[in-house]
Amino acid sequence: MSDMPTPMNEPTNEPTNEPTNEPMNQTRRSPLRRLGCIIALIFWFALLLVPCLLLVMATQGQIAVSQGSLPGQQIRVWLIMEADERGFGVSSTTAQQTDPNTACLQTNTRFLLWVGDADSLSYCDCYAREDAESAWQTTSTELGVCEPQ
């Protein structure tokens, strides 16, 4: 009875020549391949957001993101739907603060039109206030770039 074969479920200490499921050489993915996947994923999500942004533009007429406490200090994109001009307007601002109670705000405006023609423009609004709790008051508005004070 000592010559009985061992059941298949019982482990044996004898080495087997059966292939294992574990790979011998694990290949690592290239960091550039991972970076490419991340960039593609970001691009895909941005592409998916385009219809949402266009819907907001159609219903509200503009998208504005505040950049600071000065009046009009924001990045703004708006829809232009005039009889002789159609497209988008894009404005961005840069603040130049000389002291805590005086500041100038340069606004740069560009137009992306598919009907009509418009030139880019820049203008400078200067503000002052009595103290940090007071509201900003306009002191001057000039066409062109803000001059350093």
Side-chain angles (χ1 to χ4, degrees), residues 52-67:
C52 296
L53 293 174
L54 292 176
L55 184 65
V56 169
M57 290 294 286
T59 57
Q60 295 182 0
Q62 73 173 353
I63 297 173
V65 178
S66 179
Q67 291 182 299

Side-chain angles (χ1 to χ4, degrees), residues 70-71 96-105 125-140 149:
L70 291 172
Q96 299 173 359
Q97 196 159 3
T98 55
D99 65 63
N101 294 324
T102 58
C104 289
L105 184 67
D125 293 321
C126 291
Y127 299 95
R129 62 184 177 182
E130 294 294 323
D131 53 28
E133 287 80 33
S134 301
W136 291 101
Q137 301 296 320
T138 304
T139 57
S140 68
Q149 297 182 6

Side-chain angles (χ1 to χ4, degrees), residues 11-136:
T12 62
N13 292 335
E14 298 176 12
T16 62
N17 291 334
E18 294 179 15
T20 62
N21 291 338
E22 298 176 16
M24 295 298 284
N25 292 333
Q26 291 184 351
T27 58
R28 293 189 46 88
R29 289 189 177 181
S30 164
L32 290 177
R33 185 173 177 184
R34 289 183 183 175
L35 181 64
C37 289
I38 290 170
I39 290 172
L41 190 63
I42 290 170
F43 178 74
W44 179 250
F45 282 128
L47 189 64
L48 289 176
L49 287 177
V50 168
C52 296
L53 293 174
L54 292 176
L55 184 65
V56 169
M57 290 294 286
T59 57
Q60 295 182 0
Q62 73 173 353
I63 297 173
V65 178
S66 179
Q67 291 182 299
S69 64
L70 291 172
Q73 188 177 3
Q74 59 190 4
I75 296 174
R76 183 174 166 237
V77 179
W78 69 97
L79 189 60
I80 300 171
M81 298 294 291
E82 300 293 327
D84 55 344
E85 294 177 336
R86 294 190 186 273
F88 293 104
V90 179
S91 70
S92 61
T93 58
T94 305
Q96 299 173 359
Q97 196 159 3
T98 55
D99 65 63
N101 294 324
T102 58
C104 289
L105 184 67
Q106 179 177 328
T107 303
N108 300 314
T109 305
R110 294 169 301 283
F111 300 99
L112 308 167
L113 302 175
W114 53 84
V115 173
D117 188 30
D119 294 329
S120 299
L121 64 106
S122 295
Y123 58 92
C124 180
D125 293 321
C126 291
Y127 299 95
R129 62 184 177 182
E130 294 294 323
D131 53 28
E133 287 80 33
S134 301
W136 291 101

